[in-house]
Amino acid sequence: MRVLRRIRRSLRNQISTHPMLYSVIASRGKAGYRVVTQQTDIVLEGFPRSGNSFVEAAFLCSQGNGIKLAHHTHSAANVLRAVQLGKPCYVLLRAPAECCISLVIQESETHNLALALSEYERFYRAISPISDRICLVPFEVATREFNRSIDHLNAVYDAQFVHLPPHMTLEMILARTDEVSRSRGTVQDGVEPYSPFASQLVKAQRAKRQTALREELSAPTHAPRLARCNALYQSLLEQTVRNGLLPQRSAGSEK
């Protein structure tokens, strides 16, 4: 089963940067509703474990359930196709070490660090040429200052997406995130591992695994690929600085 999953993942990766081919094939699958179409209101994308579910929940809380989202394909093709169709596209950006470690923990049946880094590089290298035509949002801004990212989204697309209501707290958004994840069966314990509602046991187990993977990631075998990923991240992060989403010191302090 594990071998089959990895073969399927490899085939998926081969088409994940080809917008037309990916759209045709992926739209016929069980998650075809996540692929951008002419009826889509906005595309929400990013590498896995970059805050995708949080941002989806925040959009549902702010814009209402009637909004038509294309999301969670984690493919550059969905972003590239959104640009082709002229659809608003909100893309998350998180440091490679953080999301790759989290992905390996979440998808241990299919991923190791080498594969996660390879996919990270593939995703962000493919969208780099059109990064000035999308709303590129650092993880920290999306999860801590969501309304600022909405302001930038509206500026990029001359749109009128609305802010989160004043009464909406971070805990309420995280509760909605857990609800969405449960509906898809993507959480083992009923909540996301980073949720404030996760048990202390789950948090401790996750922290232990993170420590082990950070040590593994420091091995020389990962150094060239990690360096390329970090360079991509820094280049795109500088664009968010120019767009006013991050102050200069924040971009410079990322490692």
Side-chain angles (χ1 to χ4, degrees):
M1 181 63 73
R2 180 175 294 185
V3 173
L4 180 59
R5 286 180 178 176
R6 289 187 172 176
I7 291 173
R8 291 178 62 186
R9 189 72 185 186
S10 177
L11 293 173
R12 175 261 183 201
N13 285 340
Q14 293 303 311
I15 66 171
S16 68
T17 58
H18 300 279
M20 288 302 297
L21 180 61
Y22 182 88
S23 295
V24 170
I25 295 175
S27 62
R28 296 178 179 178
K30 62 180 181 181
Y33 65 93
R34 299 181 182 179
V35 179
V36 61
T37 69
Q38 290 286 4
Q39 287 69 50
T40 299
D41 292 322
I42 184 170
V43 176
L44 310 177
E45 281 294 354
F47 190 75
R49 316 309 295 173
S50 296
N52 294 272
S53 295
F54 177 92
V55 168
E56 178 193 2
F59 264 88
L60 293 174
C61 289
S62 58
Q63 316 304 317
N65 292 330
I67 189 169
K68 296 181 176 62
L69 305 175
H71 58 95
H72 276 88
T73 70
H74 305 303
S75 70
N78 218 31
V79 177
L80 298 171
R81 185 60 178 154
V83 171
Q84 291 176 349
L85 294 175
K87 296 294 182 179
C89 190
Y90 182 119
V91 179
L92 287 150
L93 177 66
R94 190 183 187 189
E98 300 305 317
C99 49
C100 287
I101 286 172
S102 184
L103 177 59
V104 173
I105 294 173
Q106 179 77 6
E107 302 290 346
S108 58
E109 289 294 311
T110 57
H111 282 76
N112 54 31
L113 286 173
L115 178 58
L117 288 167
S118 176
E119 291 184 354
Y120 184 101
E121 183 179 6
R122 181 189 297 269
F123 180 93
Y124 288 106
R125 194 171 299 285
I127 70 167
S128 288
I130 50 87
S131 59
D132 60 340
R133 300 169 63 187
I134 59 178
C135 178
L136 189 64
V137 184
F139 170 83
E140 294 78 8
V141 174
T143 56
R144 299 174 190 168
E145 301 179 90
F146 180 74
N147 285 342
R148 285 190 61 221
S149 71
I150 290 295
D151 290 338
H152 181 54
L153 178 68
N154 287 336
V156 171
Y157 293 103
D158 191 23
Q160 295 182 333
F161 294 100
V162 300
H163 284 180
L164 285 164
H167 71 274
M168 187 66 61
T169 65
L170 176 61
E171 189 171 88
M172 292 168 70
I173 299 172
L174 287 169
R176 184 65 182 272
T177 305
D178 290 336
E179 178 186 329
V180 169
S181 296
R182 280 195 299 273
S183 71
R184 297 196 187 108
T186 57
V187 285
Q188 296 179 352
D189 301 297
V191 298
E192 291 284 356
Y194 54 80
S195 170
F197 310 106
S199 70
Q200 291 302 313
L201 176 61
V202 167
K203 291 177 181 178
Q205 290 174 337
R206 180 176 176 80
K208 182 178 180 180
R209 184 70 175 127
Q210 285 174 326
T211 299
L213 286 168
R214 287 186 198 285
E215 183 176 348
E216 181 183 340
L217 189 58
S218 67
T221 52
H222 295 301
R225 187 176 283 116
L226 180 59
R228 293 195 301 272
C229 289
N230 278 329
L232 265 173
Y233 171 69
Q234 288 294 335
S235 175
L236 292 170
L237 197 66
E238 285 296 331
Q239 181 173 315
T240 71
V241 172
R242 293 192 295 272
N243 291 337
L245 283 175
L246 283 179
Q248 184 64 46
R249 65 179 182 276
S250 294
S253 64
E254 294 289 346
K255 303 295 183 184

